[in-house]
């Protein structure tokens, strides 16, 4: 089955054609990072306008690159939330128009489920997701631990009570004068730093909850006290990264154990972080369960927002478009 996936929930306009939920035939992304970098974060109104400027061209070029005709496409999948409303509307309207005009089935996709389904992209069948699993979803907008028994039955075991992990990376990067989005820049800088240089606080919250605002403030106070010019930025980046990733890895493994679930999955932009991946394995080793657990992560280029993950979800866990409408197509009464 060939699915066209459309993602426009934040600052990436991305479209892809994916076969059977894993084989990426073609993917095209227009990143708005350069546009928003000067503001240190995404400006919703500007984001929506850029999506509108690029989406048509990306969709048609993707089909052309794949050497396919519209009649080859079996389904269109579009993210309908969560995300910036004005940005989501651009993708949804493009998808609805194509579905109506070409009479192709349209399904809606939850952005978070799409991140999880990114785990199947460009993988061989033995590495496909297998329900049930315990999942850490850590992105710019969300940080939660989920128990996924099946895609319609996902239980939130715990989540952040303030900032998401990605947001914490972005805000601390800004304090260190690093570009947006901060995660990859902090990770890069941390490679030459000492992760034990600064003893940063860990939040005391519920068993599987997270809180990163205190950690963020602690970094700010340190910078105010010592001064950015006198600080070893690499040490601070490494210590901060260690504090965030330790929390994420520790709670993920504990949640999986509590659920007696040995399939562990990570997803979302922060899942690209190598130290996070290492720490999850280290925690499993510490608890002597490394032989039993299977830890899965998306390929690096599918961790952050992309159209292919939407198409993968469109194959694995499509949802009817809108309340009571069922599949949105010309044959339905709207
Ligand atoms: O999933 P995503 O692309 O967008 C949302 O759905 O929010 O995640 C973007 C977030 C940003 O906050 C970015 O700084 C973070 O993921 N990120 C990382 C890394 N790559 C991206 N955080 C830590 N380490 C990374 N390598
Ligand atoms: Zn995302």
């Amino acid at each position: 089955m060939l699915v066209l996936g459309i993602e426009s929930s934040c600052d990436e306009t991305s479209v892809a054609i994916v076969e059977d939920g894993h084989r990426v035939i073609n993917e095209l992304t227009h990143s708005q990072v350069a546009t928003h970098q000067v503001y240190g974060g995404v400006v919703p109104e500007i984001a929506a306008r850029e999506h509108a400027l690029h989406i048509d061209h990306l969709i048609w070029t993707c089909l052309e690159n794949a050497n396919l005709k519209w009649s080859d496409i079996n389904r269109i999948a579009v993210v309908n939330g969560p995300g910036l409303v004005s940005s989501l509307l651009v993708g949804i309207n493009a998808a609805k128009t194509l579905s109506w005009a070409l009479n192709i089935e349209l399904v809606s996709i939850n952005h978070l489920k799409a991140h999880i389904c990114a785990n199947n992209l460009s993988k061989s069948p033995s590495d496909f997701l297998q329900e049930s699993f315990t999942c850490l979803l850590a992105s710019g907008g969300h940080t939660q631990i989920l128990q996924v028994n099946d895609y319609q039955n996902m239980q939130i075991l715990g989540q952040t009570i303030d900032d998401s992990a990605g947001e914490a990376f972005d805000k601390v990067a800004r304090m260190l004068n690093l570009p947006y989005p901060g995660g990859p820049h902090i990770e890069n800088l941390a490679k030459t730093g000492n992760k034990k240089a600064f003893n940063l606080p860990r939040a005391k919250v519920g068993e599987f909850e997270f809180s990163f605002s205190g950690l963020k403030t602690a970094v700010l106070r340190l910078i105010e006290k010592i001064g950015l010019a006198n600080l070893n930025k690499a040490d601070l980046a490494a210590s901060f990264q260690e504090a965030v990733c330790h929390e994420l890895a520790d709670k993920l493994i504990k949640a999986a154990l509590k659920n007696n679930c040995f399939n562990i999955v990570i997803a979302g932009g922060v899942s690209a972080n190598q130290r996070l991946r290492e720490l999850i394995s280290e925690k499993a080793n510490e608890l002597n369960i490394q032989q039993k657990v299977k830890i899965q992560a998306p390929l690096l280029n599918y961790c952050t927002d992309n159209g292919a993950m939407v198409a993968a979800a469109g194959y694995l866990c499509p949802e009817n478009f809108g309340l009571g409408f069922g599949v949105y197509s010309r044959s339905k009464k709207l």
Side-chain angles (χ1 to χ4, degrees), residues 111 115 139-141 166-167 169-170 181-184 187 268-270 272-273 303-305:
H111 181 81
H115 270 301
S139 67
E167 207 177 339
F169 269 98
D170 294 340
E187 178 172 17
V270 181
N273 189 286
C303 289
T304 48
D305 294 349

Side-chain angles (χ1 to χ4, degrees), residues 102-171:
L102 300 160
N103 207 19
I104 300 173
E105 181 189 16
L106 175 64
V107 296
S108 67
I109 299 298
N110 175 292
H111 181 81
L112 305 180
K113 284 189 187 175
H115 270 301
I116 296 172
C117 295
N119 271 280
N120 282 356
L121 292 169
S122 298
K123 299 265 184 82
S124 51
S126 60
D127 288 325
F128 288 171
L129 291 173
Q130 265 183 337
E131 300 120 275
S132 52
F133 53 85
T134 307
C135 177
L136 168 72
L137 189 122
S139 67
H142 295 81
T143 296
Q144 43 191 223
I145 299 180
L146 302 154
Q147 184 59 35
V148 181
N149 295 326
D150 64 66
Y151 296 105
Q152 310 313 326
N153 176 9
M154 294 172 40
Q155 191 197 349
I156 300 177
L157 303 178
Q159 56 188 329
T160 180
I161 58 166
D162 43 51
D163 290 353
S164 71
E167 207 177 339
F169 269 98
D170 294 340
K171 288 180 175 164

